[in-house]
Amino acid sequence: MYTNAGYLNYSLIDLKDKTKPLAVGSCGTYRLKNHPKLPTYRPRGRVDYQILYVSAGIAHFHFDKEENNTIVTAGNMVLYRPKEFQKYEYYGKDKTEVYWIHFTGNNVKNILRSYGIRDDMRVFYVGTSLEYTRIFKRTITELQRRQPYYQEVLVLLLRQLFIAIHRKVTKERKLRNEYMDTEMDIAAQYFNDNYNTDIHIEDYAASRGMSVSWFIRNFKQYTGSTPMQYIVSIRITNAQMLLETTSYSVSEIGRIVGYENPLYFSRLFHKQIGFSPSEYRKKALGK
């Protein structure tokens, strides 16, 4: 096992400093190869904040309860807040490499928020970049060498880490949003082109590689209505147009917009518009 760490004032005691907005207490790294296991257990947590970065292999975290087991893979960071239950293990067979940093201050929560690290974020993906490891290694060196103004340098390095996290998380969120918008736009266009056919939402979602619940939730967020509400709206709108501009019977119009059962069509039309198709046609034509 390889380990390297640095501690503020050479103290291994948890640092709690409310005199500054932000302060770094310690930073280090573990790399397991032949060592079978490295466990950490703090049932009452710590008094400071901690970020762990899994740069290689995997780590096992037990959030909230001992029996919970979350496998955190390389490229993810874990954030512990003060007094949160901590239990995690690294195993040699997993070739785990982890960097960690402890920090404190009187404005940490707001500082984290300013860099896009929300209060509910516990595990977040940032990728396996040398940028993160360089920041951690430089922080360890500053803590070990303790040159003039090193505490200020430590805060600057921590903020540099926050900025790197923010850029990655923001980019990932933007990519996810772009994907969602594209998929929802494709779905809306498909429903517009095929509204009068027998559309099954489950089949459509599966054809695009999406779970039906995820698709319905995001489609509603994108359009303001569920997929089926969207389809019904298109059908009824086109039925209104046909009632106003053609002499087709109500049954024929129902079939044209996708309803084989004229009674069901009439009931649905009345529910949406407030009039039966026949009543609507009379009012629209001024009869």
Side-chain angles (χ1 to χ4, degrees), residues 135-153:
I135 294 172
F136 283 110
K137 289 177 179 178
R138 176 74 188 281
T139 303
I140 294 169
T141 300
E142 288 291 333
L143 282 163
Q144 293 172 341
R145 297 179 66 186
R146 304 180 70 199
Q147 293 184 316
Y149 302 105
Y150 79 102
Q151 293 188 36
E152 294 180 29
V153 174

Side-chain angles (χ1 to χ4, degrees), residues 169-179:
V169 171
T170 302
K171 182 180 179 181
E172 290 293 319
R173 189 179 299 123
K174 182 179 180 181
L175 289 173
R176 287 196 299 270
N177 290 341
E178 288 178 353
Y179 165 76

Side-chain angles (χ1 to χ4, degrees), residues 117-130:
I117 303 173
R118 304 186 309 274
D119 296 349
D120 62 344
M121 290 176 67
R122 173 175 278 172
V123 180
F124 43 95
Y125 183 76
V126 295
T128 52
S129 170
L130 291 175

Side-chain angles (χ1 to χ4, degrees), residues 187-201 227-242 252-260 265 268:
Q189 189 58 57
Y190 176 84
F191 294 152
N192 272 282
D193 293 342
N194 300 277
Y195 73 88
N196 58 347
T197 63
D198 188 17
I199 298 175
H200 295 275
I201 305 303
M228 189 50 64
Q229 289 170 340
Y230 187 83
I231 293 167
V232 169
S233 177
I234 297 172
R235 288 174 173 175
I236 298 302
T237 297
N238 280 280
Q240 289 177 269
M241 183 271 294
L242 292 171
E252 288 175 315
I253 290 175
R255 284 194 294 273
I256 290 172
V257 299
Y259 296 107
E260 291 296 328
F265 166 62
L268 185 62

